[in-house]
Amino acid sequence: MAEGDGDESPRTRADKLRNVYNQKYKADEFVKKGVYDQRDVDNINSNDLYVSQFIRKTETIQDAADRLHEALKWRKEIGVRDLTEASFPQEFWDIGAMYFHKTDKEGRKIIWLKIAKHKKDPNTLPLIKKFFGFCFETAYNESPEDELVLLFDMTNTGISNLDMEMIKFVITSFKIYYPALLGYLLIYEMPWLFNAAWKVVKTWLSPEAQKKLKFVNKSDIQQYIAKENLPEHMGGTDTFEYKYVPSEERENEDNQNSDASKKRVTFADQDSPLYQSFNADSIENSYVRVNKSSLSNINRNAGPGGGNQEGNSFIGRLLTISPAEELRFVTDEDGKDAHDVISLKNTLPYPIAYKVKTTSPEKYKVRPSSGIVKPGSVEKVYVYLYQEHHLGVDKDKFLIMAVELNGDPPDNMSEYWKTVPRENIMDHRLRCVQVKRSDSRYSSDTVSVLSADDQITAINSKVDSLMEGHLALQKSIRLLILLQVLTLVLFIVFILYTYLYASSGPPQVKAEEGPQNSSTADRYCSGTLF
């Protein structure tokens, strides 16, 4: 567990984490390679509060160092320190999908997310992530010791508003990048269509983190937010309407204000124009701040057999490895070989070579057992347990080794591994666990085990299929309505034609046509012509 307790000062806790971090990571080297921002390195060397916030009682101090490393990489990747309001399109501010307004009953400021205003678009997702980082970076800098409340207003949301990539990003943000920022998440009026997605989300969270998810509706949201701070559609009396005020207008207003007692409007001011202006055209589902243990010790209660969860990851110096602790092999009576998957993610700007070893090579087939993970990519290693070796699995272990590659990969990787100094190699061990398919822990109502990326891909695929089906249904409905209109028009024309034809009367018979024609006319009038 993390060293120390809550009675220690931020300085004492920060120094403990710095010592572990500096032994494991070389900040100066990462700055030279463009992995860190020098300003962030300076900050962790001087900001005791910031560093201490990465420590949680439910994890080891080594895990906290890994989270700090991952946060520094992300900050450099999106350039969070250089982002400004002008970094984003005007429509990001005008739409009103995200803004700060009012507080909860404990005085926490509320971030309102209007989920119905978000439309899933992979092309804008990178910029949305930056926008999200900018908003929370600004909020944190204004009040680093205060927590926020995130409120998902899911009124009038539909399947087109579901974006699992954004969900994954926001969860990661509160696990790693801003570990002390969020108090809890309120989810207002979640449609039943989102139930499957939330089941997946819960598998990414620790039990402690799940407790901070609050599903509310009109009848119980006032347990958290006073009536006067809620909009009318939530049963409140607040008539607030969002409007973005550009920074130039805010500055002019401040300059014109001669009252010295009124300070310049800042992000932390309640209902200030800047506070009201923070929104995102495509920012979607955001989640609770998660204890650090949720990243390395999260329960894999979704079941075994062929996948891992990114939330259950070991973030190492060179690679992020999923699962963090164990491989699970499901065995049954169908005669098939059980398997699990190791995901290796490289978030560094240079390639990483890896090699996988096991204490019982005769029991397992590993594909591929070695290779290279390119920058920003993920490699999956499939581990198969031979059917005839199902006994004694719990005693087996796997070792994942990783080393940084300088320049082009060598032709003979086997020889290269022999020349690498031991201190340059990162290693991580996984234990093996055998699970019977009939085990009650993995009943049919649990979510099937997939990696976070696979879960997102699967749900996105289903969402896309639903949207395609919805569009096809709408097209069919429009066609049906058109046919009904045409049928109605034809029917009206037929009625009009029949009425006009009948009102014109029978044809007149000339007198000179004689008896035969007169007889015909009589027959016409008597209705016996046909």
Side-chain angles (χ1 to χ4, degrees), residues 245-309:
V245 180
S247 58
E248 296 81 3
E249 295 184 19
R250 297 197 303 269
E251 292 175 358
N252 292 336
E253 182 178 348
D254 292 335
N255 293 333
Q256 294 172 3
N257 190 345
S258 59
D259 188 350
S261 64
K262 293 184 179 181
K263 64 178 180 180
R264 184 185 184 280
V265 174
T266 67
F267 189 81
D269 290 334
Q270 177 63 27
D271 291 344
S272 72
L274 180 57
Y275 226 102
Q276 298 168 9
S277 69
F278 273 80
N279 67 86
D281 187 19
S282 300
I283 283 186
E284 222 248 344
N285 302 2
S286 304
Y287 297 84
V288 304
R289 172 173 56 87
V290 181
N291 285 340
K292 290 297 182 178
S293 61
S294 64
L295 193 60
S296 61
N297 300 320
I298 188 170
N299 294 329
R300 298 178 69 200
N301 54 4
N308 318 299
Q309 301 167 0

Side-chain angles (χ1 to χ4, degrees), residues 516-530:
Q516 183 177 358
N517 289 335
S518 176
S519 175
T520 302
D522 293 341
R523 292 169 58 197
Y524 184 93
C525 295
S526 64
T528 59
L529 182 61
F530 300 103

Side-chain angles (χ1 to χ4, degrees), residues 40-164:
D40 290 327
V41 174
D42 295 340
N43 185 52
I44 65 172
N45 288 332
S46 59
N47 192 331
D48 296 333
L49 176 62
Y50 177 76
V51 175
S52 65
Q53 288 174 337
F54 283 83
I55 300 176
R56 292 292 178 268
K57 292 181 179 180
T58 52
E59 67 166 8
T60 66
I61 197 78
Q62 289 78 13
D63 290 335
D66 293 335
R67 306 300 177 265
L68 181 58
H69 166 66
E70 196 70 14
L72 295 180
K73 289 194 299 181
W74 173 79
R75 294 176 64 84
K76 174 62 176 180
E77 180 182 348
I78 72 165
V80 68
R81 283 184 171 272
D82 298 316
L83 294 175
T84 65
E85 288 184 53
S87 302
F88 307 97
Q90 182 66 34
E91 53 266 29
F92 267 47
W93 302 103
D94 291 336
I95 193 67
M98 176 181 177
Y99 55 85
F100 289 73
H101 181 63
K102 298 293 186 179
T103 62
D104 72 347
K105 288 187 173 182
E106 297 182 11
R108 298 184 181 95
K109 298 179 179 67
I110 304 172
I111 309 170
W112 298 78
L113 288 180
K114 302 289 186 177
I115 306 305
K117 294 181 180 292
H118 169 72
K119 300 298 180 184
K120 178 183 175 183
D121 186 356
N123 295 325
T124 60
L125 185 59
L127 188 58
I128 294 167
K129 291 180 178 179
K130 287 187 177 183
F131 188 92
F132 189 86
F134 170 63
C135 293
F136 281 88
E137 176 74 5
T138 310
Y140 177 81
N141 288 337
E142 287 287 351
S143 188
E145 296 186 69
D146 293 340
E147 293 181 331
L148 302 174
V149 174
L150 194 60
L151 194 156
F152 277 13
D153 184 358
M154 306 191 77
T155 305
N156 298 325
T157 57
I159 198 67
S160 62
N161 306 121
L162 178 60
D163 192 339
M164 292 300 291

